[in-house]
């Protein structure tokens, strides 16, 4: 498709020029974004409350508005869900992206305005294609379709005027009609709620398609790919889709899955492109396939601030602008957006791999977590589930840690819990069952991944010998009140060390 690629490249010339501009002038572009956001929202309830009319620079903005998490946003969300207008952003917010909560709530509902859909999420999708074609001008991607694998939540009503669902479902619901000719499966299948039936339908309809690209979360796609191979009797994905050349992935760390994908798609011409697209906004794109870091997109109607980790937990944490960040340091990401989110601490930590252009890597969460499969299991979830399991089995926990067991060629993923009990449960199976059931209740993303064991199996619980965790801390010269056992980790570094020590 060289002719089509040439036409696309011509259309993208202006956009690629704009991207080059913000690579060279990040401070100026970000200042323009902030001024536009303030101007747009100055007549809203929030804008009047904080006197946006008088804010002329970043310093005044940062002084006037506190950094907050979802608890600060929640009261406004609840009012908007009932149809109240002009609260955080001009007009009415009709769409709310549902994602797993990291606080006491089971789920977060992030406002999605028309502007954030058009100028952020959809623009990000277009830029992914523009940057990929810039990297691979010889691409044949547009000769076939993109298989997108979104969430399993349908669109639901809060009221007659507002709706919620996975971000992927909201994007599919609002995509321009012409995009449906470029993607598969069709909308009715993509938005199906029942995962098993959806898996069958996707398999049935896409086996006969010319799929040239994939877009979605790596762990979910592994489940689909294994199902496709099983149904078709093929040994790898290229036997089904010989023209497959690109996987656009995001949501979780791809590193543990990379070798599995190389086995399932055995081609040196296969490309992997990472994106950083959250419910709150589309933030970054891997603009150079030779490097793993992602270009922070600075002109999507988002103003970024970066809080050094040493400032976290303070009532008024000091934040830095794009011009003040340093390479190699971790920062908690704070955003103000055209969705009406103001100085919002989203919970992710990032590190700048380069400046001019400003490329980042996602380094984790601001709290302990496991997100190996998109489950976003947080420390609050773990504490509640363990507490419930202990209450009902008479167990008492002394120390614990948990980590993912990554998917193998023939095995599914799971969480491995290593627990040192003060008093062990009489029935370990009952303890595991309660742990699992409570995690499902408090975390909707975990619940989705555990559905019929499709992605995650039951938790694996290992009993630690007496003094294991103390011995481990001692071996690291970290005995003392300020040194804590990492409760949840997104890799197996700690748990492998502990398991090795557990046998001694």
């Amino acid at each position: 498709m060289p002719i089509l690629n040439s036409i696309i490249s011509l259309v993208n010339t202006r956009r690629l020029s704009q991207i080059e501009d913000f690579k060279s002038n990040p401070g100026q572009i970000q200042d323009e974004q902030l001024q536009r956001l303030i101007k747009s929202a100055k007549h809203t309830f929030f804008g009047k409350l904080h006197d946006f009319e008088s804010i002329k620079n970043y310093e005044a903005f940062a002084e006037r508005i506190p950094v907050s998490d979802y608890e600060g946003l929640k009261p406004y969300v609840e009012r908007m869900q009932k149809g109240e207008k002009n609260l955080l952003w001009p007009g009415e917010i009709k769409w709310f992206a549902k994602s797993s909560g990291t606080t006491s709530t089971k789920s977060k509902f992030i406002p999605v305005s028309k502007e954030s859909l058009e100028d952020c999420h959809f623009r990000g999708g277009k830029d992914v294609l523009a940057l990929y074609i810039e990297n691979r001008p010889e691409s044949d991607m547009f000769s076939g379709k993109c298989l997108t694998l979104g969430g399993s939540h349908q669109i639901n009503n809060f009221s007659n005027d507002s709706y919620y669902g996975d971000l992927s479902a909201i994007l599919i619901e609002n995509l321009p009609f012409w995009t449906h000719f470029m993607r598969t499966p069709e909308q009715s299948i993509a938005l199906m709620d029942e995962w098993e039936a959806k898996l069958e339908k996707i398999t049935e309809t896409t086996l006969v398609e010319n799929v040239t690209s994939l877009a979605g979360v790596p762990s979910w796609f592994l489940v689909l790919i294994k199902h496709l191979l099983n149904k078709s009797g093929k040994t790898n994905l290229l036997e089904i889709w010989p023209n497959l050349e690109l996987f656009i992935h995001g949501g979780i760390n791809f590193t543990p899955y990379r070798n599995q994908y190389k086995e399932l798609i055995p081609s040196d011409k296969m490309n992997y492109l990472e994106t950083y697209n959250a419910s709150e906004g589309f933030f970054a794109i891997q603009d150079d396939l030779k490097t793993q870091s992602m270009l922070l997109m600075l002109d999507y109607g988002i103003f970024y601030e970066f809080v050094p980790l040493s400032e976290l937990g303070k009532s008024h944490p000091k934040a830095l602008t794009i011009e003040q960040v340093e390479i190699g340091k971790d920062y908690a990401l704070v955003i103000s957006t055209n969705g009406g989110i103001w100085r919002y601490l989203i919970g992710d930590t990032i590190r700048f791999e380069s400046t001019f252009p400003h490329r980042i890597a996602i380094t984790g969460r601001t709290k302990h977590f496991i997100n190996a499969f998109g489950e976003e299991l947080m420390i609050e979830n773990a504490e509640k589930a363990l507490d419930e399991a202990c209450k009902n089995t008479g167990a008492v926990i002394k120390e614990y840690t948990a980590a993912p067991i990554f998917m193998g060629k023939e095995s599914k993923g799971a969480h491995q819990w290593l627990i040192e009990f003060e008093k062990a449960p009489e029935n370990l199976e009952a303890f595991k069952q309660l742990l699992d059931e409570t995690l499902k209740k408090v975390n909707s993303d975990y619940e989705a991944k555990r559905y019929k064991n499709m992605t995650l199996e039951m938790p694996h619980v290992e009993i630690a010998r007496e003094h294991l965790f103390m011995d481990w801390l001692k071996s690291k010269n970290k005995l003392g009140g300020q040194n804590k056992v990492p409760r949840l980790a997104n890799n197996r570094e700690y748990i492998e060390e502990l398991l090795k020590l557990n046998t001694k």
Side-chain angles (χ1 to χ4, degrees):
M1 304 289 288
I3 295 173
L4 180 57
N5 288 359
S6 297
I7 294 168
I8 291 166
S9 294
L10 195 63
V11 172
N12 287 336
T13 299
R14 181 168 177 270
R15 178 57 191 148
L16 292 170
S17 174
Q18 292 170 339
I19 291 172
E20 287 302 316
D21 187 29
F22 75 62
K23 284 182 181 179
S24 306
N25 305 291
Q28 178 190 330
I29 298 299
Q30 274 287 279
D31 188 57
E32 288 171 5
Q33 299 298 305
L34 178 60
Q35 295 305 324
R36 283 177 192 161
L37 290 171
I38 291 168
K39 185 178 179 182
S40 297
K42 66 182 180 182
H43 296 306
T44 64
F45 175 84
F46 193 86
K48 290 175 182 175
L49 182 68
H50 296 282
D51 192 16
F52 275 18
E53 188 82 61
S54 69
I55 295 178
K56 304 302 179 189
N57 53 41
Y58 167 70
E59 288 72 24
F61 175 74
E63 188 179 322
R64 199 83 52 86
I65 301 161
V67 172
S68 71
D69 57 14
Y70 188 70
E71 289 303 301
L73 182 66
K74 189 179 173 184
Y76 294 102
V77 168
E78 289 174 345
R79 289 166 65 183
M80 287 188 288
Q81 287 168 347
K82 295 172 185 173
E84 200 169 334
K85 301 176 184 178
N86 300 310
L87 279 176
L88 297 172
W89 192 251
E92 186 177 13
I93 302 290
K94 288 182 174 289
W95 297 96
F96 296 86
K98 181 184 178 185
S99 68
S100 183
T102 58
T103 57
S104 56
T105 51
K106 181 176 180 180
S107 295
K108 299 185 292 185
F109 296 94
I110 305 300
V112 181
S113 67
K114 290 178 184 176
E115 289 83 358
S116 61
L117 270 176
E118 292 293 333
D119 300 335
C120 183
H121 292 291
F122 289 157
R123 193 175 194 182
K126 292 174 191 172
D127 282 351
V128 167
L129 300 180
L131 290 165
Y132 177 66
I133 294 300
E134 178 76 355
N135 275 268
R136 294 285 184 271
E138 75 286 356
S139 169
D140 280 329
M141 185 176 69
F142 296 109
S143 65
K145 293 186 177 181
C146 179
L147 171 51
T148 54
L149 188 59
S152 56
H153 288 289
Q154 291 179 325
I155 300 299
N156 297 282
N157 286 59
F158 277 122
S159 64
N160 291 332
D161 297 314
S162 66
Y163 312 90
Y164 71 90
D166 284 352
L167 175 67
S168 56
I170 292 172
L171 296 180
I172 289 168
E173 193 79 31
N174 286 278
L175 279 169
F177 79 93
W178 55 266
T179 60
H180 297 292
F181 298 111
M182 302 171 64
R183 52 173 297 280
T184 189
E186 64 177 56
Q187 185 169 333
S188 61
I189 297 172
L191 294 176
M192 283 175 70
D193 204 24
E194 217 286 325
W195 171 247
E196 262 183 344
K198 182 176 181 175
L199 198 64
E200 288 292 340
K201 275 288 184 188
I202 291 174
T203 301
E204 178 189 317
T205 56
T206 59
L207 278 173
V208 295
E209 295 273 19
N210 176 26
V211 173
T212 54
S213 60
L214 312 172
V217 178
S219 54
W220 277 113
F221 252 109
L222 270 184
V223 176
L224 174 61
I225 290 168
K226 288 175 182 178
H227 193 263
L228 281 159
L229 294 176
N230 184 50
K231 284 285 182 181
S232 65
K234 306 296 185 185
T235 56
N236 69 66
L237 217 49
L238 295 176
E239 292 177 10
I240 302 172
W241 301 315
N243 300 316
L244 184 65
E245 65 166 270
L246 174 65
F247 182 23
I248 303 162
H249 62 88
I252 60 174
N253 184 3
F254 188 58
T255 303
Y257 302 100
R258 193 173 292 277
N259 288 335
Q260 285 188 70
Y261 273 90
K262 283 182 178 177
E263 285 185 24
L264 293 166
I265 313 169
S267 170
D268 292 337
K269 295 180 180 178
M270 184 66 188
N271 297 296
Y272 299 90
L273 188 152
E274 186 173 5
T275 64
Y276 183 9
N277 187 15
S279 299
E280 295 87 350
F282 202 127
F283 304 136
I285 301 169
Q286 186 182 350
D287 67 316
D288 183 349
L289 297 178
K290 299 183 189 74
T291 178
Q292 296 303 310
S293 56
M294 294 177 283
L295 180 67
L296 193 63
M297 307 305 285
L298 301 179
D299 61 353
Y300 286 180
I302 299 173
F303 179 73
Y304 296 100
E305 296 173 79
F306 310 92
V307 174
L309 299 192
S310 59
E311 292 287 314
L312 283 177
K314 295 182 180 179
S315 55
H316 298 287
K318 177 181 170 54
L320 308 177
T321 63
I322 193 77
E323 293 178 296
Q324 298 170 310
V325 296
E326 297 177 48
I327 295 170
K329 291 191 176 180
D330 284 5
Y331 299 100
L333 195 58
V334 173
I335 56 170
S336 300
T337 79
N338 50 11
I341 296 171
W342 300 101
R343 302 202 82 206
Y344 182 77
L345 188 69
I346 69 169
D348 288 338
T349 59
I350 59 103
R351 178 185 302 133
F352 282 91
E353 303 290 335
S354 71
T355 53
F356 302 97
H358 285 69
R359 292 196 179 102
I360 64 166
I362 303 167
T363 54
R365 298 283 293 176
T366 54
K367 300 181 180 181
H368 294 290
F369 70 104
I370 302 177
N371 191 32
F373 312 96
E375 68 276 91
E376 293 191 6
L377 186 72
M378 297 301 176
I379 189 71
E380 292 89 344
N381 306 150
E383 300 284 12
K384 282 182 182 177
L386 289 169
D387 183 57
E388 191 69 21
C390 285
K391 277 181 186 174
N392 287 278
T393 61
V396 178
I397 291 174
K398 188 174 182 181
E399 293 283 5
Y400 77 91
T401 193
I405 299 173
F406 294 107
M407 289 177 176
K409 200 170 185 181
E410 302 296 333
S411 60
K412 293 169 185 171
H415 291 167
Q416 185 173 28
W417 298 76
L418 181 59
I419 304 174
E420 184 178 339
F421 289 99
E422 194 79 41
K423 180 186 175 186
E426 288 183 9
N427 187 331
L428 189 61
E429 283 304 309
F431 182 93
K432 283 200 293 187
Q433 193 74 37
L434 283 162
L435 174 66
D436 185 51
E437 289 302 319
T438 309
L439 287 173
K440 289 178 188 174
K441 287 177 187 174
V442 299
N443 184 314
S444 57
D445 285 334
Y446 177 88
E447 183 180 36
K449 305 304 178 289
R450 279 283 294 119
Y451 182 71
K452 295 190 177 180
N453 293 325
M454 295 300 287
T455 301
L456 278 177
E457 293 178 339
M458 273 281 289
H460 296 210
V461 176
E462 315 286 339
I463 296 179
R465 65 168 174 78
E466 194 176 8
H467 305 310
L468 171 67
F469 289 91
M470 188 178 288
D471 290 347
W472 180 71
L473 287 170
K474 187 177 181 180
S475 72
K476 295 185 170 294
N477 198 29
K478 287 188 175 181
L479 283 178
Q482 294 303 306
N483 296 299
K484 299 175 183 177
V485 172
R487 297 304 194 195
L488 304 180
N490 207 35
N491 57 56
R492 295 189 56 79
E493 179 186 349
Y494 302 126
I495 205 164
E496 289 292 354
E497 290 179 1
L498 284 155
L499 286 168
K500 192 174 181 181
L501 207 56
N502 199 38
T503 59
K504 294 182 179 179

